[in-house]
Amino acid sequence: MLQSLKAIQSYRQGETALLEENRWLEYIVTAEERIVNLERIQSLRQLANSNPVLDYVERTLQELARMPLSFWIKETVETVLKWSEAAKGGTVRQRIVWQEQGVSLFAHNVGSAQIYKQHVADNSHERSQLTHTLIYTHGLIGQYLRGEVPLIENAPLFQLVKQGIVSSRELRDLLLPLNRCVIAAVSPELWNSLKSRVEDVVDQIVTGQFDNAFSLQERFRHLRELSVRSGENVEAELAKLEIQPHIMTALRALNDKTLWFVEAALHEFSFEEFIKIFLMTLAAPQTEHVRHISFERLMNSMYYDFKGRKKINVYKKRMIEKALRELTYEDIRNHRTPDSPHLTFHIDHLDEAQDSMYVNFEFSAAAEKLIDFCIEAEKTPLYEKAILMLFDLFELRRDAYDRFHNEEDYLSDMNRSADYKQVILDYVTGVGVIDIGPGGGIMLDLIEDRLPGTQAIGIDISQNVIETLERRKQRENRSWRVMKGDALNLKQYVEPGSIDTIIFSSILHELYSYIEYEGRSFNHDTVAAALRSAFDVLPPGGRIIIRDGIMSEPADQKRIIAFRKEDGMSWLERYAKDFAGRKIRYERLSPYEVLMPINDAMEFLYTYTWGPEAYVHEVQEQFGYFTPSQYGNFIVKTLGARAVIIKCDHYLQDGYTEALAPKTSFMNERREPVPFPDSTCLIVIEKQ
């Protein structure tokens, strides 16, 4: 067993006296500040109960121990591995001393090499110079392959060959096992996937071929690998950049800079946002002399623990996205930054290393506390109030985003509604089809899969939905298209006569509820505007297909709800207080029974079905806004004689009865059990 592994094993068994003889180990185990790439951590809780740096060093040494190497190679690599993370360790007091001594705690490879040098008796010895240089460049090959550092950062290794300290062959024999240990300790699969690329880079370094390095575009490709796996079309995004030469010229300032923690901090942002952050960084004062740019602080601020798993702080992400979307590239070139009292773009030049800087977005104290409140309030009655306050603080439209902490689950639930939506396909006509508010994209999938030759386009007002769909399209090789657009003004996005079918599937009630039209939400005129917008771009024979909520008729019926769950009455009381669409009326008959107008009863029960996670959104939406006969009259009045209703059906959507039966009994005024009324309409309008 390697001596370093024996030392770690003894320490884990409680033998602390050996730390004095193994200063590298002492620094690692006394770390009071956990410096770790959160990209490699699945749960933030594990940081509280472990030492990720020690665990990682141990894995690198275990990998080395398994390799059949000469004594000289193994001993040299062992020394490099055990010292290479030293700058991530140390008590707070020790780190202050290091800073005063000029040790770089920004670039951990540089700082670790400096610390190693303090503990070597003869720094002039060739063996010490070799080890120092290997620590100094430790990890840079992997980081070059990730796009984080220029290849020239490895030049000190070739200097060893030029000075005759090692031959090219000896340096290669050292670098290959060293990099295998470094990468395989992260993931054996990662090493297997990178092995041949590492070998090629090592060959470049030991022969001094630094001119044949990655271009800036290639670095961007590597920095966006996680985003590409999620479906980003990085080639298309790069093509957009290359037709803006002034942007590419500004970005070339990154060529000679190291970019730390970029992928971990920024892969959740869109490519355009990623570029804007770099441009704002380069536009900051005194950046031209900077060598190292770190996104570590941004990375650390962008995650929190949710149900034991590391989770992106979507609240902060959305606020940063909004700020970036309000800035054009030209704005940034003119040194504009986010214009908000609650969000600032912050550059911090370190006193001890003027060639280094941290990039971060900083939130006001009020915003930080409100975001923390939102996180704490998830799944509690306070959540919707917290979210609405956050919207108001950052001046967000309340309908701009579908969901926050459960957005992925929500879009997944929408995609599981394929069985309900496929009936729409029977009424699709022509080649060009628009799906308004495509959500998770299931309607687009159904059209593409079951109607060959049809071109489906999804239009949504939410940029986040569009980006999610664009990534899924790329990932799944789909042919449908999506675009950001306003359903009330389709002429701005599509050529009149070019679209044969326009689908409103479970979206008109959201437009009715959220969109302020002529100063009012919960406005039938909004529905009218959406229908006219669609009708105007259709050719003769074109169709509008509506699948949405419906109210019961006669509307004066009443129903008794008997709650089977203890929280049922409190749910209703809370709902009646919070629902914004209209006044919800009910008469308490007992602690567990109420008498309600049928449409008030069903509006409440739809929300009761979805449960607490969806409450904050469902309480803001009115699902039913017309009875069937009212809808027919409204369509004729809105669209005129050329609009012919060829289908008008309504039904109870599957699942409501099963979901509500364990929670409620539903009765007429004579206390006779009755079925739940129809919830959903299917209306097809053809343009004559």
Side-chain angles (χ1 to χ4, degrees):
M1 180 184 288
L2 298 176
Q3 290 300 313
S4 52
L5 282 175
K6 288 181 181 179
I8 293 174
Q9 187 180 81
S10 297
Y11 167 77
R12 291 191 186 280
Q13 293 171 352
E15 298 179 29
T16 57
L18 57 80
L19 294 180
E20 190 172 342
E21 300 173 5
N22 295 273
R23 299 302 297 276
W24 60 273
L25 182 56
E26 179 186 3
Y27 293 145
I28 293 173
V29 302
T30 58
E32 296 173 20
E33 177 186 356
R34 298 296 164 83
I35 300 170
V36 62
N37 188 340
L38 291 184
E39 185 183 6
R40 304 300 182 190
I41 298 296
Q42 295 303 310
S43 170
L44 300 186
R45 289 180 186 172
Q46 71 189 76
L47 293 177
N49 302 311
S50 66
N51 186 327
V53 176
L54 177 60
D55 296 342
Y56 172 74
V57 171
E58 186 174 29
R59 290 196 302 273
T60 65
L61 292 165
Q62 288 169 343
E63 185 70 24
L64 176 64
R66 290 190 287 267
M67 298 169 65
L69 300 169
S70 70
F71 175 79
W72 175 74
I73 295 287
K74 183 166 285 192
E75 183 184 48
T76 303
V77 173
E78 179 184 11
T79 304
V80 173
L81 292 174
K82 71 185 186 182
W83 281 100
S84 287
E85 304 295 320
K88 293 183 180 180
T91 63
V92 170
R93 184 179 296 275
Q94 176 65 72
R95 294 179 71 78
I96 292 172
V97 171
W98 281 338
Q99 285 180 315
E100 292 172 348
Q101 293 170 342
V103 172
S104 173
L105 301 181
F106 183 95
H108 302 127
N109 58 311
V110 176
S112 295
Q114 291 170 317
I115 294 168
Y116 165 78
K117 205 169 187 179
Q118 293 177 353
H119 292 274
V120 177
D122 183 4
N123 286 310
S124 64
H125 194 280
E126 288 187 351
R127 182 71 176 273
S128 299
Q129 292 180 45
L130 171 63
T131 305
H132 174 268
T133 304
L134 289 170
I135 297 172
Y136 184 86
T137 57
H138 167 261
L140 294 185
I141 290 176
Q143 285 154 341
Y144 167 70
L145 290 174
R146 289 173 62 120
E148 292 180 331
V149 304
L151 185 61
I152 197 66
E153 289 290 316
N154 289 280
L157 291 168
F158 183 62
Q159 289 300 314
L160 296 172
V161 177
K162 292 178 70 175
Q163 294 168 14
I165 294 175
V166 288
S167 67
S168 296
R169 176 61 183 270
E170 288 171 330
L171 183 57
R172 188 179 193 276
D173 290 345
L174 281 165
L175 289 176
L176 287 176
L178 174 59
N179 280 276
R180 173 175 171 175
C181 293
V182 170
I183 297 171
V186 173
S187 161
E189 295 76 21
L190 182 62
W191 166 250
N192 290 333
S193 68
L194 292 177
K195 180 181 176 182
S196 61
R197 293 165 67 187
V198 170
E199 290 173 346
D200 291 342
V201 175
V202 168
D203 287 339
Q204 284 182 267
I205 292 169
V206 301
T207 55
Q209 299 178 49
F210 296 104
D211 291 337
N212 188 25
F214 290 154
S215 66
L216 182 61
Q217 288 91 330
E218 287 171 317
R219 289 183 71 182
F220 285 159
R221 288 187 183 97
H222 292 296
L223 288 170
R224 298 299 289 177
E225 282 187 3
L226 284 177
S227 305
V228 169
R229 282 181 225 156
S230 299
E232 180 176 274
N233 187 344
V234 73
E235 297 306 322
E237 297 295 342
L238 284 170
K240 293 178 191 175
L241 265 190
E242 287 167 359
I243 61 175
Q244 302 183 73
H246 60 288
I247 301 300
M248 288 304 301
T249 298
L251 290 170
R252 286 193 185 98
L254 295 171
N255 277 329
D256 62 348
K257 302 188 189 307
T258 64
L259 308 170
W260 304 103
F261 301 100
V262 172
E263 192 172 40
L266 300 183
H267 77 272
E268 296 267 5
F269 291 94
S270 72
F271 187 87
E272 181 178 322
E273 291 155 2
F274 166 86
I275 294 298
K276 284 180 177 178
I277 291 170
F278 274 125
L279 289 173
M280 288 197 302
T281 301
L282 294 170
Q286 301 177 332
T287 305
E288 63 273 14
H289 303 301
V290 165
R291 178 183 169 198
H292 304 292
I293 301 175
S294 174
F295 291 82
E296 183 179 13
R297 291 178 182 173
L298 178 59
M299 173 190 73
N300 290 337
S301 72
M302 290 300 295
Y303 294 95
Y304 69 100
D305 209 83
F306 180 73
K307 296 181 179 179
R309 300 283 293 176
K310 180 190 71 176
K311 185 174 180 64
I312 185 74
N313 191 321
V314 70
Y315 310 98
K316 288 187 174 182
K317 177 173 177 280
R318 292 284 167 80
M319 305 313 148
I320 294 171
E321 287 171 338
K322 176 181 183 289
L324 292 173
R325 285 172 188 152
E326 291 173 350
L327 295 173
T328 65
Y329 289 144
E330 193 61 31
D331 288 335
I332 297 170
R333 289 182 67 204
N334 292 326
H335 303 283
R336 272 197 61 198
T337 55
D339 182 20
S340 168
H342 299 291
L343 178 64
T344 56
F345 180 70
H346 188 72
I347 298 290
D348 187 8
H349 290 270
L350 303 182
D351 291 338
E352 72 273 15
Q354 286 298 315
D355 66 344
S356 306
M357 60 190 277
Y358 282 107
V359 176
N360 199 5
F361 285 91
E362 294 188 350
F363 291 80
S364 69
E368 286 281 4
K369 289 183 184 300
L370 186 50
I371 289 167
D372 288 342
F373 179 40
C374 289
I375 292 171
E376 290 298 320
E378 288 174 1
K379 290 192 172 182
T380 76
L382 294 171
Y383 183 66
E384 70 274 11
K385 300 183 188 304
I387 286 293
L388 294 180
M389 286 179 1
L390 193 64
F391 279 19
D392 289 341
L393 190 69
F394 284 91
E395 300 179 350
L396 284 168
R397 282 176 49 171
R398 293 184 179 186
D399 64 313
Y401 308 113
D402 289 313
R403 294 297 187 266
F404 269 81
H405 76 283
N406 66 332
E407 179 179 57
E408 292 178 5
D409 293 340
Y410 174 71
L411 292 178
S412 178
D413 285 343
M414 291 182 72
N415 280 350
R416 284 196 286 269
S417 65
D419 291 343
Y420 308 142
K421 295 186 176 183
Q422 62 184 348
V423 66
I424 291 173
L425 301 181
D426 295 337
Y427 301 95
V428 170
T429 189
V431 174
V433 182
I434 286 178
D435 181 25
I436 302 293
I442 186 59
M443 195 73 240
L444 299 174
D445 291 345
L446 288 171
I447 295 169
E448 180 178 323
D449 294 342
R450 304 188 188 183
L451 298 176
T454 302
Q455 176 59 59
I457 303 171
I459 294 181
D460 202 289
I461 198 170
S462 167
Q463 184 65 31
N464 294 91
V465 169
I466 296 300
E467 288 172 3
T468 298
L469 287 171
E470 287 280 15
R471 289 189 175 196
R472 186 163 80 80
K473 173 187 176 180
Q474 179 74 10
R475 191 169 62 244
E476 299 177 10
N477 197 29
R478 289 286 183 175
S479 64
W480 41 254
R481 295 190 292 125
V482 290
M483 67 173 71
K484 183 178 179 183
D486 182 355
L488 306 190
N489 191 18
L490 290 177
K491 282 183 178 178
Q492 184 177 338
Y493 311 100
V494 297
E495 184 71 25
S498 65
I499 298 297
D500 304 295
T501 303
I502 298 175
I503 299 169
F504 293 93
S505 180
S506 295
I507 193 66
L508 281 175
H509 77 273
E510 294 194 2
L511 300 180
Y512 169 79
S513 302
Y514 288 120
I515 300 296
E516 285 198 1
Y517 187 78
E518 296 180 346
R520 262 189 325 123
S521 54
F522 297 99
N523 188 349
H524 290 122
D525 290 343
T526 310
V527 180
L531 293 179
R532 281 194 295 267
S533 170
F535 199 71
D536 288 348
V537 300
L538 289 175
R543 291 176 178 176
I544 296 172
I545 303 175
I546 300 168
R547 175 185 175 274
D548 214 346
I550 201 76
M551 297 173 75
S552 293
E553 51 189 2
D556 60 357
Q557 298 174 86
K558 293 190 175 181
R559 292 291 182 260
I560 294 173
I561 299 174
F563 293 108
R564 298 176 184 270
K565 302 280 187 180
E566 289 186 3
D567 67 347
M569 188 64 74
S570 61
W571 255 84
L572 174 58
E573 291 170 347
R574 178 183 169 205
Y575 179 82
K577 179 182 177 183
D578 293 341
F579 183 61
R582 63 173 186 267
K583 182 176 177 58
I584 298 295
R585 296 164 294 163
Y586 65 94
E587 177 187 348
R588 290 186 64 157
L589 304 178
S590 77
Y592 302 106
E593 291 183 328
V594 291
L595 177 67
M596 301 181 69
I598 188 169
N599 288 313
D600 287 355
M602 291 312 300
E603 196 66 49
F604 160 69
L605 289 174
Y606 298 140
T607 296
Y608 193 39
T609 303
W610 280 95
E613 284 198 357
Y615 181 88
V616 59
H617 308 283
E618 300 302 324
V619 78
Q620 298 179 70
E621 300 175 6
Q622 184 169 318
F623 187 53
Y625 46 94
F626 284 128
T627 66
S629 59
Q630 287 173 341
Y631 222 144
N633 293 335
F634 179 80
I635 289 168
V636 171
K637 179 181 176 182
T638 299
L639 301 181
R642 295 186 67 193
V644 177
I645 300 173
I646 63 173
K647 173 78 173 179
C648 185
D649 196 8
H650 44 92
Y651 52 90
L652 178 64
Q653 184 171 302
D654 292 343
Y656 278 125
T657 300
E658 292 77 4
L660 289 169
K663 297 180 177 182
T664 63
S665 294
F666 197 66
M667 299 170 283
N668 61 22
E669 292 181 86
R670 297 185 298 276
R671 294 188 175 276
E672 298 168 339
V674 292
F676 294 110
D678 291 346
S679 62
T680 308
C681 67
L682 179 65
I683 300 173
V684 182
I685 307 165
E686 188 167 280
K687 185 173 184 176
Q688 297 295 304

